Amino acid sequence: VLKRHGATEIYAIAVHGVFSGPALEIINKSPVTAVACTNSVPQDEFRARCPKLRTIDIAPMIGEIIRRTFNGESVTQLFVHDEQL
């Protein structure tokens, strides 16, 4: 549908990519340009079978969340957008 309406590239984002069953085959055959996925679930095996997968490393963010929680600091501030910056 997107291509029929003029899209030249299509991107999808997945948070916890558990690509089960025929999911990777469907992605490979689809008009999707790329699927970006966090590494909250290991992605190496999936990437080997699907060249359209891109991995977003969330380890630094998880580490910072753990550090802030341990030190009693705000985790919310990581997700607040300040338009004045």
Side-chain angles (χ1 to χ4, degrees):
V1 171
L2 294 172
K3 290 275 187 175
R4 285 195 310 249
H5 285 88
T8 57
E9 295 182 313
I10 301 169
Y11 295 91
I13 297 175
V15 178
H16 305 293
V18 180
F19 299 102
S20 60
L24 296 176
E25 182 179 336
I26 292 168
I27 293 169
N28 282 331
K29 291 179 179 178
S30 77
V32 169
T33 304
V35 176
C37 182
T38 65
N39 63 346
S40 56
V41 173
Q43 297 296 312
D44 293 339
E45 179 185 332
F46 299 140
R47 277 199 333 263
R49 296 173 36 211
C50 183
K52 293 183 178 187
L53 289 182
R54 306 290 183 269
T55 303
I56 299 169
D57 183 14
I58 62 168
M61 182 178 64
I62 297 297
E64 182 62 14
I65 289 169
I66 292 168
R67 187 196 69 74
R68 286 176 182 237
T69 301
F70 182 79
N71 291 316
E73 299 173 25
S74 173
V75 172
T76 303
Q77 291 302 311
L78 291 171
F79 306 101
V80 174
H81 175 71
D82 186 354
E83 292 185 20
Q84 295 179 7
L85 293 178

